[in-house]
Amino acid sequence: SSTIPCISERTLAGYGLPVLYPGTAEEVVRLGRYGVALSRASGMWVGMKIVADVADGLFTVDGSCGDVDITVPELEWEGRPWSYRQIPMLIPPASLEAEAQMYGPRWAMVRVFLAANPINVVELDTPAAWLGIVAGGKAFHDVRQALADLGLADDDAVRGAGIRLLRLGAVHPIERELMRRFGSGLDTVLVVEEKTEFVESAVRDALYRLTDAPEVIGSQDSLGARLVPVSGELTAGALVAPLRRVLSARPELADRLAPPVVPRPTLELQPVARTPYFCSGCPHNRSTLVPEGSINGGGIGCHAMVAMVDRPGSNVSSLTQMGGEGAQWIGQVALLEGSAHCFQNMGDGTFAHSGQLAVQACVAAGVSITYKLLYNRAVAMTGGQDAEGGLEVPALTRKLTAEGVVKIIVCADEPERYQELESFAPGTQLWHRDRLDEAQQALAAVGGVTVLIYDQRCAAESRRLRKRGEIPIRPTRVVINEAVCEGCGDCGTKSNCLSVQPHHTEYGRKTRIDQTSCNTDYSCLAGDCPSFVTVQAPAGPAAARERPEPPKVPDRDWQPPAGTVDMFLAGIGGTGIVTVNQVLGSAAVRDGLAVHGVDQTGLSQKAGPVTSHLRVAASTAALAPANRVGPAQADCYLAFDALVAADARNLACAGHRTTAVVSTGVVPTGLMVRDPSAVGPDADALISRIASSCGSLVAVDAAAAARVLFG
């Protein structure tokens, strides 16, 4: 999930699946090959746990990583050779035979397959070890990183500390005999895993009744105190303190560990924060507003950002899973009926995926609710893909009518588009988007399930299509005459558009349109302000402009790094932070270096804080184990937005060895757009805050440079 802290291995195991857990892209390929072979040999589906730092990570992968030797063992069951055969009839007695096969020879094949292949590996077999550490996937790499941060950077140092290491490629089932061999002679086994005691319980069961069985700790230590964190992200930085506690129990080790990082002074809470926000010209800036006193339901999609933005008129009282939008009203209506009308937001991609079932459920339940079907013609939250199985609006109205929706109004920014499309369902009305509030009032007065289809293409997707020449560029541009503007902010309040930006002048606060980010939605004109002027841009490409001659930079001698070089990037979502990380990583690979890292992706972070990590070394062997930059480890701190970079959580990656490169331009937050009284960030204070956490700092007005170079 992009939003909910969760683990998947318990669920997969509950379905009766063996579960593999890769920690890198290479392990995804290698374990994937084993998983396919295991499935064919046993007839079992094979689950794979993928955590965010793997799914959103970047890695250097050798093309030969999929060349693995797979051993498919022979299995005898009840005195005869066994091989999997499908039992297609799942009614008695065939279903009983299938159950017996699943819990008998099929699971037996899983166990012998795991034993026959190097899926679970003792990475470090220290003969006289006192401590064994068991971890799978990403958690194992975090353990190695945390040990390195404690001063146990190589195998010899770990052996010298009396530690044995077991890397699990399969976290379910646990290989009992391997676990018992691993635990033999140990005093303590430490299990490191995310969230709950899943592997820990299985390890404890495997070691039960073993002569001189070691004590098993993990989520709790031997005294029952919390040890490995069970909430939030499990990172190498979060494991340093628990590992120090365990290792320091041996007096001879306590003095050999690297000293704790001296805690830096606590940074004050910033008065301004950057939060995710709708793109300039996003349809949701207008479509998510509801009449005063209404109940507004949220769901999954970009429109869910209304839950992060305290904007009067669009606040939601509930959020549901994808496909459950509006179903909560079936239970709530008995308690709230007569108090207010319920509007439920739902994207067209969600509707095509599973949301249509919630609409049908409300029809069947006989409740009165208005679905606002936000028809944006792209799954913008994850990159602008087409909504699989989606229908054009006319076909959608006919489907909804056939399923019991009593009234439909389509509000569109370009109603004329429907002259070329098929006809609507009988009774469907087509209005301009400016009549949104009127349409909502009309639908709220109708009993039963009603639908308002708000048809306007995703602003980000429209921008992409215009750049590709697939839809025409809108020639009308909006500018503000600052001599007339009174800085009241009404245009920002009505449009909620990030391109309508406050601008401080010698005459006080004014407003201007940022032409570089404007997506020509024109909602700002709803303010009906005399300072607004529309102009027609000339057709064709812009005239060539004289560009300054770049300074001559002397070539520098370049040598591969001796260890790992760490870079941390911080900026605003939607401005290319992830792209820059990919460019830097690709450049390093082209120079023969090894890289890994992680990007903050998943849930849409447009206009919000986004970070990326990149670690570079001369070879894979020299690369630090974890793909995330740890506390005080960044060598280079690229601050594309000073407000995001000055956040204490991000500055934790900076230290005395860090050089920060900071863009000094101030980009308004969403709150500054819609609230004229909101205070903006103090650029000088932000830069000073970053400088206090770094060894050196280089400040550059990147936005001004971009305007000079690119217009």
Side-chain angles (χ1 to χ4, degrees):
S1 171
S2 301
T3 53
I4 306 299
C6 62
I7 56 171
S8 56
E9 58 266 40
R10 279 190 182 276
T11 303
L12 295 171
Y15 290 148
L17 277 59
V19 183
L20 305 179
Y21 181 13
T24 66
E26 183 173 324
E27 291 176 17
V28 170
V29 176
R30 186 176 64 83
L31 291 179
R33 290 287 314 278
Y34 282 120
V36 170
L38 171 58
S39 180
R40 289 172 176 169
S42 65
M44 307 287 286
W45 287 19
V46 177
M48 186 173 281
K49 171 182 174 177
I50 305 286
V51 297
D53 280 14
V54 177
D56 301 337
L58 55 148
F59 303 89
T60 305
V61 177
D62 189 313
S64 64
C65 65
D67 299 336
V68 296
D69 293 326
I70 298 173
T71 300
V72 179
E74 295 182 356
L75 175 67
E76 282 199 3
W77 189 257
E78 296 179 344
R80 291 181 297 177
W82 179 88
S83 61
Y84 170 67
R85 64 179 179 84
Q86 189 176 20
I87 302 176
M89 294 296 292
L90 293 181
I91 57 175
S95 59
L96 298 177
E97 182 185 354
E99 180 187 44
Q101 286 281 312
M102 177 173 162
Y103 292 111
R106 292 171 68 185
W107 264 106
M109 174 57 81
V110 169
R111 291 187 170 90
V112 297
F113 186 96
L114 292 177
N117 291 279
I119 295 173
N120 302 313
V121 179
V122 178
E123 291 282 355
L124 208 59
D125 192 3
T126 304
W130 67 276
L131 173 66
I133 302 179
V134 179
K138 170 187 172 291
F140 181 82
H141 299 287
D142 287 335
V143 166
R144 292 304 308 250
Q145 181 67 60
L147 289 172
D149 294 342
L150 286 167
L152 307 178
D154 54 34
D155 289 353
D156 290 339
V158 177
R159 285 194 187 94
I163 300 173
R164 200 176 289 169
L165 298 176
L166 172 59
R167 174 175 55 81
L168 296 178
V171 293
H172 178 71
I174 293 295
E175 283 189 71
R176 184 174 183 272
E177 292 306 316
L178 173 64
M179 194 66 246
R180 291 170 81 88
R181 290 196 303 271
F182 176 80
S184 179
L186 297 175
D187 297 330
T188 305
V189 170
L190 169 63
V191 180
V192 177
E193 61 182 323
E194 298 88 356
K195 308 300 179 188
T196 60
E197 304 170 8
F198 179 72
V199 174
E200 183 181 342
S201 297
V203 168
R204 191 174 284 114
D205 287 346
L207 297 176
Y208 184 63
R209 290 184 177 175
L210 180 68
T211 303
D212 297 325
E215 181 178 33
V216 179
I217 61 175
S219 59
Q220 296 180 347
D221 64 16
S222 57
L223 300 177
R226 281 291 179 195
L227 186 60
V228 176
V230 296
S231 61
E233 291 179 311
L234 185 64
T235 63
L239 288 175
V240 169
L243 283 173
R244 185 184 297 278
R245 273 173 56 191
V246 174
L247 296 174
S248 296
R250 295 278 171 131
E252 67 273 17
L253 287 180
D255 294 337
R256 292 168 53 186
L257 301 178
V261 176
V262 178
R264 66 181 67 188
T266 302
L267 294 171
E268 294 182 0
L269 187 66
Q270 294 191 97
V272 183
R274 193 173 298 286
T275 57
Y277 216 77
F278 297 123
C279 297
S280 296
C282 175
H284 302 323
N285 283 324
R286 298 178 63 162
S287 64
T288 54
L289 292 170
V290 295
E292 185 176 356
S294 302
I295 295 172
N296 199 12
I300 303 302
C302 285
H303 58 84
M305 283 193 283
V306 295
M308 308 176 193
V309 179
D310 186 20
R311 182 191 180 198
S314 66
N315 292 331
V316 295
S317 60
S318 60
L319 284 170
T320 70
Q321 80 283 4
M322 178 177 281
E325 289 88 346
Q328 78 281 359
W329 185 243
I330 297 173
Q332 294 172 349
V333 67
L335 304 175
L336 300 173
E337 190 170 19
S339 61
H341 186 71
C342 180
F343 292 89
Q344 175 64 54
N345 297 327
M346 181 187 292
D348 55 334
T350 295
F351 179 87
H353 177 272
S354 53
Q356 54 192 300
L357 300 177
V359 178
Q360 293 167 10
C362 285
V363 170
V367 299
S368 293
I369 183 174
T370 297
Y371 276 92
K372 294 173 69 174
L373 192 48
L374 310 176
Y375 195 89
N376 305 138
R377 288 174 262 167
V379 186
M381 192 175 184
T382 53
Q385 304 93 333
D386 290 333
E388 292 293 335
L391 301 173
E392 279 284 357
V393 172
L396 193 54
T397 64
R398 296 194 295 273
K399 171 182 169 63
L400 290 168
T401 299
E403 291 174 350
V405 172
V406 296
K407 187 173 180 61
I408 302 171
I409 297 178
V410 178
C411 289
D413 67 329
E414 298 174 329
E416 62 277 7
R417 189 173 77 91
Y418 288 94
Q419 296 176 0
E420 303 174 359
L421 299 178
E422 298 177 12
S423 59
F424 291 130
T428 301
Q429 295 175 281
L430 173 63
W431 293 359
H432 192 274
R433 69 173 185 178
D434 290 345
R435 299 177 65 185
L436 170 65
D437 188 63
E438 180 186 352
Q440 292 182 109
Q441 299 279 7
L443 293 174
V446 177
V449 176
T450 58
V451 174
L452 188 153
I453 301 177
Y454 192 96
D455 176 20
Q456 181 179 342
R457 192 192 303 272
C458 162
E461 184 65 10
S462 293
R463 189 180 186 93
R464 296 186 194 104
L465 294 176
R466 289 186 184 115
K467 286 184 175 181
R468 298 170 188 159
E470 296 181 29
I471 61 174
I473 294 174
R474 290 175 170 173
T476 302
R477 309 295 296 192
V478 178
V479 295
I480 296 176
N481 184 344
E482 291 185 7
V484 180
C485 174
E486 297 179 353
C488 68
D490 185 58
C491 50
T493 301
K494 283 191 166 60
S495 68
N496 203 45
C497 178
L498 284 174
S499 293
V500 182
Q501 299 182 352
H503 175 50
H504 295 281
T505 71
E506 59 182 321
Y507 301 108
R509 184 193 191 275
K510 303 287 185 176
T511 307
R512 66 181 175 189
I513 306 298
D514 179 28
Q515 299 296 333
T516 61
S517 62
C518 176
N519 286 321
T520 57
D521 170 68
Y522 309 134
S523 291
C524 52
L525 295 175
D528 193 25
C529 176
S531 67
F532 276 72
V533 179
T534 57
V535 297
Q536 298 299 307
R545 56 190 297 163
E546 186 177 346
R547 294 181 179 175
E549 186 71 22
K552 296 188 181 300
V553 179
D555 290 336
R556 298 186 61 181
D557 291 335
W558 180 86
Q559 297 293 331
T564 298
V565 176
D566 291 330
M567 285 174 271
F568 183 87
L569 293 70
I572 302 172
T575 62
I577 308 305
V578 172
T579 301
V580 171
N581 206 31
Q582 292 290 327
V583 169
L584 292 173
S586 298
V589 171
R590 288 175 66 88
D591 275 342
L593 303 177
V595 303
H596 60 191
V598 63
D599 295 314
Q600 180 182 342
T601 55
L603 181 69
S604 177
Q605 292 291 320
K606 296 167 186 174
V610 167
T611 59
S612 287
H613 303 243
L614 186 66
R615 315 192 81 178
V616 181
S619 65
T620 302
L623 204 55
N627 64 335
R628 182 182 288 265
V629 177
Q633 290 179 347
D635 295 288
C636 181
Y637 193 83
L638 295 178
F640 296 90
D641 177 62
L643 180 57
V644 175
D647 187 288
R649 292 169 296 181
N650 297 332
L651 279 177
C653 293
H656 68 275
R657 78 186 201 190
T658 304
T659 297
V661 181
V662 184
S663 175
T664 59
V666 176
V667 179
T669 65
L671 179 61
M672 293 169 61
V673 167
R674 71 175 188 273
D675 184 359
S677 65
V679 178
D682 183 331
D684 293 336
L686 294 176
I687 293 172
S688 297
R689 181 182 171 103
I690 297 170
S692 68
S693 298
C694 300
S696 60
L697 183 143
V698 177
V700 57
D701 191 342
R707 282 192 293 270
V708 171
L709 292 172
F710 304 110

